[in-house]
């Protein structure tokens, strides 16, 4: 069986990875220009397709038959070539978002829900939320409710971002300031890269439960797979694929005192997990063209920290990498959302008496004990997982992998 994803630009697609878990069929990426669309749909070698930006509407006219969901949303994201060669169009985004909403455990009935954006995904979200009994308002840049009159909606309970604002590579931007909404109880973002958009990080900082779009991505693929093969994918399988993908996509960021073993462990971990490895201190040196002691001498700690934050901002946007950070990165509060947006953060703990000081400007001029007293609560604040490195780096690597697997 030949299946795949049709779109104009598909460089960052996770669909092949997801469909590998879902079923025994080939799944390729079909990047086609608008001019090549008709020929591909009529004559292309495929049995089933997923359809993505910008073709979810343009494929409608090539489908001889549409599912009720595709008709309702006026968009198709799954095409099946029937035995007679005719194309059947369906929309699995509806199932995907419905599954995401139910998975949240939140009761949307009678809640005021703001859906940001008025594109295809917004239509899907509105249809599902209305089915679940929500009281839905669309915020559109050109609509009656827009970003200039959000004050008329400050009583909303739920916000769903169905715009691309905050999506990689434009990390760190949010479509709204959530401080405007004192009654906010739940926040959803259809974006899954980064795992936590600024909107979700802001919600987290206010203690508001939130969810990204990864569950929807997996669930819509699962329903497509059912249409390709006829085999049902149960919710346990969706959960398992979601968890594996969630782990694979996130960076693993190592924090801890200077000399605690972050670089050695990071390199070993990256080899074991076949991930790219970055050492932020080395990246700072490369970008400045000077060694770290030289940077400290010329620019002081402040100058070093500024360059370090700029480097972390770049590295933390990546996915599936291992990143060893400098020991003092936790002293800058702004580094917390930067690192947290797409990573599991691991604190490598090592007995202070075992830490080296050679070539480390701050370790040589300060008492390590004093430095530890200041930084310990900060490492706690940043870390998702704590791992001891008082034995060998190999043992620490095993412990990191085990704790990450336990988490999923
Ligand atoms: P779309 O058709 O391009 O619509 C996005 C809407 O967002 C636009 O209609 C626009 O609405 C608004 N928008 C666009 N640029 C904006 C900006 N700079 N500032 C504020 N609003 C802006 O895209 P879509 O297919 O609906 O997808 C929307 C998002 O959902 C994307 O991030 C996509 O990746 C994500 N998505 C995720 C899944 C999943 O499985 N997790 C599935 C589908 C889509 P107005 O003009 O009315 O403001």
């Amino acid at each position: 069986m030949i299946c795949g994803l049709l779109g104009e630009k598909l460089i960052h697609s996770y669909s092949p990875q997801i469909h590998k878990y879902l079923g025994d069929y080939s799944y390729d990426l079909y990047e086609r220009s608008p001019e090549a669309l008709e020929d591909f749909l009529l004559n292309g070698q495929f049995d089933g397709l997923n359809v993505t930006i910008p073709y979810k509407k343009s494929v409608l006219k090539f489908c001889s038959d549409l599912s009720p969901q595709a008709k309702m949303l006026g968009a198709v994201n799954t095409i099946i070539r029937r035995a007679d060669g005719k194309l059947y169009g369906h929309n699995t985004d509806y199932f995907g978002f419905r599954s995401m909403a139910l998975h949240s455990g939140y009761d949307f009935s009678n809640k005021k829900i703001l859906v940001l954006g008025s594109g295809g995904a917004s239509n899907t979200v509105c249809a599902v939320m209305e089915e679940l009994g929500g009281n839905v308002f669309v915020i559109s840049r050109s609509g009656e409710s827009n970003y200039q009159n959000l004050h008329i909606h400050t009583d909303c309970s739920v916000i769903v971002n169905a715009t691309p604002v905050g999506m990689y590579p434009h990390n760190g931007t949010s479509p709204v300031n959530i401080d405007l909404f004192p009654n906010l109880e739940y926040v959803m973002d259809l974006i899954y890269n980064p795992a936590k958009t600024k909107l979700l990080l802001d919600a987290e900082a206010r203690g508001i439960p939130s969810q990204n779009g990864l569950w929807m991505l997996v669930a819509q693929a699962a329903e497509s797979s059912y249409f390709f093969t006829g085999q049902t994918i149960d919710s346990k399988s969706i959960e398992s694929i979601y968890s594996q993908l969630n782990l694979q996509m996130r960076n693993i960021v190592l924090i801890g005192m200077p000399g605690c073993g972050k670089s050695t462990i990071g390199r070993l971990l990256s080899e074991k997990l076949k991930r790219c490895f970055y050492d932020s201190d080395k990246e700072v040196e490369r970008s400045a063209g000077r060694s770290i002691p030289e940077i400290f001498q010329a620019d002081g700690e402040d100058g070093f920290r500024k360059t370090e934050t700029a480097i972390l901002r770049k590295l933390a946007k990546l996915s599936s990498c291992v990143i060893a950070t400098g020991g003092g990165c936790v002293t800058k509060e702004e580094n917390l959302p930067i690192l947290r947006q797409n990573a599991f953060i691991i604190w490598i703990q090592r007995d202070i008496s075992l830490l080296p000081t050679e070539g480390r400007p701050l370790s040589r001029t300060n008492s390590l004990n004093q430095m530890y007293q200041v930084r310990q609560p900060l490492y706690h604040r940043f870390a998702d997982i704590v791992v001891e490195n008082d034995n060998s780096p190999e043992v620490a690597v095993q412990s990191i992998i085990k704790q990450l697997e336990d988490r999923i």
Side-chain angles (χ1 to χ4, degrees):
M1 178 147 210
I2 303 171
C3 301
L5 176 63
L6 169 67
E8 192 172 19
K9 295 223 163 47
L10 300 170
I11 20 173
H12 295 299
S13 176
Y14 289 99
S15 293
Q17 244 171 298
I18 299 175
H19 282 274
K20 211 186 288 171
Y21 289 123
L22 285 168
D24 189 16
Y25 44 86
S26 70
Y27 194 92
D28 295 316
L29 296 179
Y30 301 111
E31 271 194 7
R32 294 294 183 272
S33 65
E35 298 73 42
L37 188 67
E38 178 167 2
D39 180 53
F40 178 73
L41 287 170
L42 297 181
N43 306 312
Q45 292 296 305
F46 63 82
D47 302 300
L49 284 180
N50 286 128
V51 183
T52 187
I53 296 169
Y55 299 135
K56 290 186 185 183
K57 282 189 189 298
S58 20
V59 298
L60 279 167
K61 63 173 186 264
F62 298 102
C63 297
S64 323
D65 195 6
L66 293 174
S67 72
Q69 290 88 340
K71 271 186 204 152
M72 174 176 64
L73 299 170
V76 158
N77 82 337
T78 303
I79 291 177
I80 307 300
R81 201 197 293 283
R82 286 179 164 159
D84 61 2
K86 290 190 172 152
L87 302 181
Y88 174 73
H90 178 49
N91 195 314
T92 67
D93 280 341
Y94 188 87
F95 174 86
F97 183 71
R98 192 174 187 281
S99 173
M100 171 172 163
L102 296 179
H103 176 68
S104 72
Y106 183 85
D107 180 0
F108 295 94
S109 60
N110 300 315
K111 292 294 168 74
K112 177 163 180 173
I113 298 167
L114 295 194
V115 180
L116 311 181
S118 66
S122 167
N123 288 347
T124 307
V125 171
C126 292
V128 170
M129 286 306 191
E130 274 160 12
E131 187 209 315
L132 297 178
N135 190 11
V136 179
F137 293 82
V138 171
I139 307 297
S140 162
R141 289 167 299 177
S142 56
E144 198 179 315
S145 288
N146 55 59
Y147 298 91
Q148 273 64 54
N149 63 17
L150 283 174
H151 55 273
I152 59 177
H153 294 298
T154 52
D155 55 342
C156 77
S157 303
V158 178
I159 290 178
V160 186
N161 179 30
T163 79
V165 180
M167 185 164 72
Y168 176 86
H170 305 292
N171 306 40
T173 52
S174 174
V176 289
N177 174 2
I178 63 163
D179 291 343
L180 287 171
F181 309 101
N183 303 332
L184 204 53
E185 294 175 351
Y186 200 69
V187 178
M188 302 169 99
D189 201 324
L190 301 200
I191 294 169
Y192 46 84
N193 183 14
K196 293 177 188 174
T197 55
K198 176 158 176 13
L199 178 71
L200 297 188
L201 286 165
D202 289 348
E204 190 175 274
R206 247 182 68 186
I208 301 168
S210 63
Q211 196 183 6
N212 74 15
L214 185 59
W215 187 281
M216 176 178 177
L217 181 75
V218 176
Q220 64 77 25
E223 206 203 19
S224 297
S225 177
Y226 166 71
F227 274 81
F228 296 158
T229 65
Q231 289 194 333
T232 317
I233 313 285
D234 60 19
S235 56
K236 262 201 147 124
S237 305
I238 294 177
E239 177 139 30
S240 156
I241 296 167
Y242 164 83
S243 300
Q244 289 181 60
L245 210 59
N246 187 26
L247 178 54
Q248 273 171 29
M249 286 165 71
R250 301 271 189 122
N251 293 318
I252 301 173
V253 168
L254 307 180
I255 59 170
M257 287 287 279
C260 70
K262 299 181 292 283
S263 301
T264 310
I265 291 169
R267 202 164 290 109
L268 281 174
L269 191 62
S270 70
E271 282 163 15
K272 188 123 191 145
L273 299 178
K274 298 189 175 42
R275 291 177 177 229
C276 289
F277 173 65
Y278 295 93
D279 183 326
S280 77
D281 278 351
K282 291 273 177 293
E283 297 301 318
V284 168
E285 287 182 329
R286 202 194 318 269
S287 123
R290 289 172 289 165
S291 70
I292 291 192
E294 284 168 346
I295 299 171
F296 265 79
Q297 201 167 28
D299 308 337
E301 184 176 353
D302 267 3
F304 170 79
R305 295 275 168 238
K306 277 198 184 107
T307 314
E308 181 181 53
T309 295
I311 292 292
L312 291 177
R313 213 181 279 285
K314 274 192 197 162
L315 294 179
K317 270 190 188 184
L318 302 171
S319 294
S320 311
C321 298
V322 176
I323 302 166
T325 60
C329 77
V330 293
T331 59
K332 286 279 164 204
E333 183 66 16
E334 66 183 302
N335 292 338
L336 181 61
I338 291 175
L339 293 178
R340 205 170 254 177
Q341 66 180 310
N342 220 15
F344 291 114
I345 304 181
I346 321 270
W347 175 15
I348 308 288
Q349 277 192 334
R350 187 166 172 82
D351 192 303
I352 301 284
S353 65
L354 301 173
L355 300 180
T357 55
E358 196 54 42
R360 300 172 192 276
L362 292 177
S363 304
R364 292 184 73 181
T365 52
N366 295 292
S367 142
L368 276 179
N369 265 320
Q370 274 172 5
M371 190 194 280
Y372 186 68
Q373 290 316 313
V374 173
R375 290 189 183 173
Q376 189 208 27
L378 301 174
Y379 291 134
H380 253 304
R381 182 160 147 63
F382 274 57
D384 298 305
I385 289 173
V386 183
V387 164
E388 292 204 347
N389 182 31
D390 290 336
N391 294 304
S392 70
E394 287 78 10
V395 172
V397 165
Q398 285 309 333
S399 171
I400 291 171
I401 292 173
K402 164 123 192 13
Q403 291 204 52
L404 286 171
E405 284 173 356
D406 287 350
R407 253 185 110 87
I408 67 162

